[in-house]
Amino acid sequence: MKITLPDNSVKEMPAGASAADVAASIGPGLARAAIGAIADYGHGPVTLDLAAPLAGDCHLRILTEKNEEALTILRHSTAHVMAEAICKLWPQTRLVYGPPVEDGYYYDIDLEHRLRPEDFEKIEAEMAKIVAEDRPFTRYEMSREDGLAKVRREGNPYKVENAERAKGDKLSFYVTGPEPGKYWEDLCMGTHVPRTGRIAAFKVLNVSGAFLHGDASKQQLQRVYGTAFFNRKQLAEHLARLEEAKKRDHRKIGQELGLFTVDPLVGAGLILWKPKGAIVRLLLEEHLRGKLRENGYQPVYTPHIGRLDLYRTSGHFPYYRDAQFPPLYESDSARILNELWVAIAEATPADGWPRAAETLLEELKIEDHNTWAQLTGADEGVPPAKRIQRSPEARESNLAIIRERLSGNDGYLLKPMNCPHHMRIYASDPHSYRDLPVRLAEFGTVYRYEQSGEVSGMTRVRGFTQDDAHLFCTPEQLQDEMASCLRLTRYVLEVLGLKDYRVRVGLHDPNDPKFIKNPQAWAESEAAVRTAVAHSGMSATEEVGEAAFYGPKIDFVVKDCIGREWQLGTVQADYNNPVRFGLEYVGRDNRLHRPVMIHRAPFGSMERFVGILIEHFEGAFPLWLAPVQVVVANISEKSDTYAREVLAALKAAGLRAELDDSAEKIGPKKHRARQMKVPWIAVVGEQEAAARAVNANDREGKRQENMPLEKFVALLTTENRPGSEQGR
């Protein structure tokens, strides 16, 4: 076999050689350090166990502790070790599944005993024993039939379901030991570290409730979270970050500062912006709107709902059907026809005629016999071209026939994205090349049905507002427009002090069916995105499979003040949707041409962005963003009149000021203002009134100064602008 290494050198290895053999042939140091491998046989990268035989000629990358992918493998293996420990402590445990996730791993379990934090130490002690035994992770495979028989004999219904849902003609199992039957094992696809002893540092973090597959109608499970690292120093640093994150939790701070609330009567994942939070959002929106006007954007407004056929055209339905609220149908017949359309659309040629389609036709026969007869040919007066054919080869014609039937009797969908509406606005008028680029901008609210277990504060919500814009330009204008979008996104982040970010280019995976099939459009759009990033002077990483389903994207991944990464702004190139919607403009040659489309959102979503800002600033917003910028605190009733004059002067200067004229002493007043993260406190008493001055105190307690009222107003007015050092 010819094995091509990352430096493009080629090693000749015998058939059946493993990644471990390749590592050993390079050197003993790499052999000791190796954790796993990534092989590419020409159809995409595959992560492998070190001991797995290589299938043939490939590009191979050996993973060590220095590689991010190795940490994912380590955490997956630690999830297995934790599951084994739990099963040993509570033998009646029924395991569900345990994947690695960002910053750690979890395992869902069905256990009558409710795990509590005091149980974590016992679990960790059992895990430590397994790690100390330094057992190998051993993989073995069985035919699908034999594997299903095995898990059915073992009697865990969750593992039976997992096995039944697994793809392929084989099932794989991992033993934490040298051979099956004598050690603990689990149904698993892999990949794992070579031995349990490689798990140097781990921690069981918490436990929460979780529904099976995120479905609230199914069994409630316990989800046990943990994390793992290659050394104790990394673990200690991570745990310190978690403690800091608890202090900065936007859900806690948001409630304390009166910024937002979530009401169970309104619904999970639906943010209610309180007045102070609304001020923060409004200030961000107004600042961006000013920049949009400077850059030639035109405002638009669109409804919160649209016909299903709009989203069928764009591809959002059924591509993101699982992440959308259920459609609203005008009749049961429309519902059945839509579900029939989806069943046929989602079937692959290998599936044949989908069984679900036949069930739906039977349902349609009862609900709307006339439509059923016309579709199936029972009504002989309908020409064959208007009848559906029970054949995968007739997929496209079947979809077109059903879609025609739905015309005028379709369902509606809560808007999952703004772009289809913006494309229809563009299409509503004729355009010349002289009109382009057309830049349409909207703070548009969209809806996604996040699973109940995934909803979290402002960062994972079901309704959110995007600072969305869609640009329509000629191919020749694309690079300049992309560059302008990138500059705007960088400005938005940097004006808020978010200067530590990396750029990620998301490309499509041609083997993944979720991406629109249009090779030429993908080639052109991905080339455009790469060129735009190169011309911007920013370095970027590329990740296959991270594109939007219609086009590649450039994501800004921001690191906050405690080192966590958040994906915020995005810029996307789209050659696909202008074709799907038939968008056109008249070119210089007086012929019709297809525009190129850019999707861009510097904030991403207002909810998520503000939630991240709350945590980044720990609620202490820069002066220009603070809901209350200054509290005027009077010392006694004798200075009430002057305190109100100070308040009026601050408000007249456009500052957001409040008066604390309560009967409390000045110490508690200052303490309360600082707890509410108010940037400035203006203390006034009889002396200040006589001097027409204030005693100015900042919220950190670093500055305290007597100054004339006019000087104080001028100071705050100067600081009250985005990007000022004091304003941050």
Side-chain angles (χ1 to χ4, degrees), residues 502-671:
R502 62 184 176 89
V503 177
R504 178 179 65 201
V505 176
L507 307 174
H508 86 300
D509 180 352
N511 299 309
D512 190 331
K514 82 172 184 179
F515 296 107
I516 290 174
K517 299 302 179 187
N518 189 336
Q520 181 180 349
W522 281 107
E524 291 175 348
S525 56
E526 289 181 347
V529 162
R530 286 183 169 118
T531 302
V533 171
H535 286 176
S536 74
M538 298 183 295
S539 59
T541 58
E542 293 187 356
E543 295 188 23
V544 174
E546 289 299 316
F549 74 89
Y550 48 76
K553 59 180 182 172
I554 304 168
D555 290 332
F556 286 74
V557 182
V558 177
K559 186 174 287 187
D560 68 14
C561 61
I562 60 172
R564 296 171 302 179
E565 287 194 330
W566 304 90
Q567 192 268 301
L568 293 176
T570 187
V571 179
Q572 304 168 6
D574 186 355
Y575 282 71
N576 278 306
N577 269 308
V579 175
R580 296 170 78 93
F581 279 87
L583 304 184
E584 297 172 333
Y585 68 92
V586 178
R588 292 177 185 273
D589 57 3
N590 210 32
R591 294 181 178 179
L592 292 175
H593 296 266
R594 194 78 69 198
V596 183
M597 184 176 176
I598 299 172
H599 309 243
R600 73 104 194 95
F603 290 135
S605 88
M606 300 309 298
E607 286 76 7
R608 179 178 169 84
F609 194 84
V610 170
I612 291 166
L613 284 184
I614 292 170
E615 298 197 2
H616 181 70
F617 292 119
E618 202 174 347
F621 291 108
L623 180 70
W624 73 277
L625 264 186
V628 179
Q629 295 172 309
V630 57
V631 165
V632 180
N634 66 335
I635 293 176
S636 70
E637 291 182 1
K638 296 178 181 179
S639 53
D640 269 0
T641 300
Y642 179 63
R644 295 181 191 284
E645 289 181 28
V646 172
L647 179 70
L650 291 165
K651 287 186 173 182
L655 295 162
R656 295 179 294 281
E658 291 183 353
L659 173 64
D660 186 347
D661 59 354
S662 64
E664 290 181 287
K665 292 185 176 181
I666 198 64
K669 290 184 180 184
K670 290 167 68 174
H671 177 69

Side-chain angles (χ1 to χ4, degrees), residues 297-301 439-442:
Y297 285 79
Q298 302 175 78
V300 295
Y301 292 97
R439 307 180 186 99
L440 305 179
E442 175 183 19

Side-chain angles (χ1 to χ4, degrees), residues 288-545:
L288 182 57
R289 282 193 176 99
K291 290 297 175 184
L292 296 181
R293 286 192 293 272
E294 290 175 16
N295 285 275
Y297 285 79
Q298 302 175 78
V300 295
Y301 292 97
T302 59
H304 292 233
I305 193 170
R307 279 187 57 206
L308 272 173
D309 210 38
L310 174 69
Y311 305 111
R312 259 192 285 268
T313 302
S314 67
H316 292 102
F317 186 84
Y319 278 104
Y320 287 148
R321 188 164 56 95
D322 292 341
Q324 295 167 355
F325 279 87
L328 307 172
Y329 297 112
E330 296 183 1
S331 67
D332 279 342
S333 175
R335 175 188 60 79
I336 296 166
L337 285 172
N338 267 296
E339 290 179 5
L340 178 62
W341 187 91
V342 169
I344 295 172
E346 292 185 338
T348 66
D351 295 331
W353 175 251
R355 187 183 306 169
E358 201 60 44
T359 303
L360 288 163
L361 283 172
E362 288 300 314
E363 189 177 350
L364 182 64
K365 183 178 181 180
I366 297 169
E367 180 63 36
D368 186 347
H369 189 275
N370 185 49
T371 299
W372 169 83
Q374 292 173 356
L375 282 178
T376 60
D379 181 346
E380 296 180 357
V382 176
K386 297 292 185 180
R387 305 174 191 170
I388 61 173
Q389 307 296 319
R390 290 174 170 83
S391 166
E393 287 75 23
R395 176 181 181 274
E396 295 305 319
S397 62
N398 286 339
L399 292 175
I401 290 167
I402 297 169
R403 194 167 177 175
E404 184 180 350
R405 282 275 165 189
L406 284 165
S407 179
N409 187 32
D410 207 358
Y412 287 82
L413 193 66
L414 284 174
K415 182 169 61 174
M417 287 189 180
N418 297 302
C419 39
H421 294 74
H422 289 191
M423 284 184 275
R424 297 312 297 163
I425 290 175
Y426 176 90
S428 67
D429 293 307
H431 295 279
S432 160
Y433 70 93
R434 294 186 181 90
D435 304 323
L436 272 54
V438 171
R439 307 180 186 99
L440 305 179
E442 175 183 19
F443 284 86
T445 302
V446 297
Y447 302 89
R448 311 276 173 82
Y449 190 76
E450 296 281 2
Q451 299 293 341
S452 58
E454 296 174 347
V455 170
S456 177
M458 302 181 88
T459 55
R460 291 294 294 271
V461 293
R462 288 174 169 168
F464 54 94
T465 301
Q466 294 178 307
D467 58 319
D468 223 348
H470 296 93
L471 295 78
F472 304 89
C473 62
T474 69
E476 295 77 19
Q477 295 168 332
L478 179 62
Q479 284 306 316
D480 286 344
E481 292 303 307
M482 292 278 287
S484 176
C485 291
L486 292 174
R487 284 195 299 272
L488 179 63
T489 304
R490 294 175 74 174
Y491 168 81
V492 164
L493 297 176
E494 292 175 9
V495 79
L496 287 158
L498 300 172
K499 297 182 179 181
D500 188 0
Y501 55 79
R502 62 184 176 89
V503 177
R504 178 179 65 201
V505 176
L507 307 174
H508 86 300
D509 180 352
N511 299 309
D512 190 331
K514 82 172 184 179
F515 296 107
I516 290 174
K517 299 302 179 187
N518 189 336
Q520 181 180 349
W522 281 107
E524 291 175 348
S525 56
E526 289 181 347
V529 162
R530 286 183 169 118
T531 302
V533 171
H535 286 176
S536 74
M538 298 183 295
S539 59
T541 58
E542 293 187 356
E543 295 188 23
V544 174

Side-chain angles (χ1 to χ4, degrees), residues 81-217:
V81 170
M82 184 183 75
E84 179 178 350
I86 291 172
C87 288
K88 186 170 183 180
L89 291 166
W90 295 278
Q92 69 274 30
T93 301
R94 294 195 292 186
L95 301 173
V96 185
Y97 39 62
V101 292
E102 185 178 4
D103 289 336
Y105 60 86
Y106 69 79
Y107 215 114
D108 283 351
I109 63 172
D110 185 357
L111 176 62
E112 186 174 344
H113 170 73
R114 304 304 298 176
L115 292 178
R116 300 179 298 274
E118 48 265 37
D119 293 318
F120 296 170
E121 191 173 328
K122 291 187 288 186
I123 296 170
E124 289 170 355
E126 285 298 326
M127 292 172 69
K129 292 177 186 177
I130 299 167
V131 169
E133 290 169 3
D134 194 25
R135 300 188 223 147
F137 276 90
T138 305
R139 176 189 175 106
Y140 71 94
E141 295 180 345
M142 301 179 75
S143 69
R144 184 176 184 83
E145 182 180 352
D146 290 345
L148 279 168
K150 167 184 161 59
V151 294
R152 285 169 180 155
R153 284 195 304 272
E154 291 168 351
N156 181 339
Y158 305 112
K159 292 297 180 182
V160 172
E161 182 183 2
N162 291 348
E164 290 173 343
R165 290 159 64 105
K167 297 179 180 179
D169 57 1
K170 291 184 178 181
L171 294 177
S172 57
F173 300 82
Y174 277 83
V175 184
T176 46
E179 57 183 299
K182 296 184 179 180
Y183 296 88
W184 185 88
E185 64 180 67
D186 198 6
L187 173 72
C188 180
M189 294 173 62
T191 305
H192 288 286
V193 297
R195 307 183 69 86
T196 61
R198 300 301 293 269
I199 304 171
F202 56 85
K203 184 75 175 174
V204 180
L205 296 173
N206 55 61
V207 62
S208 67
F211 292 108
L212 180 64
H213 306 315
D215 186 341
S217 67

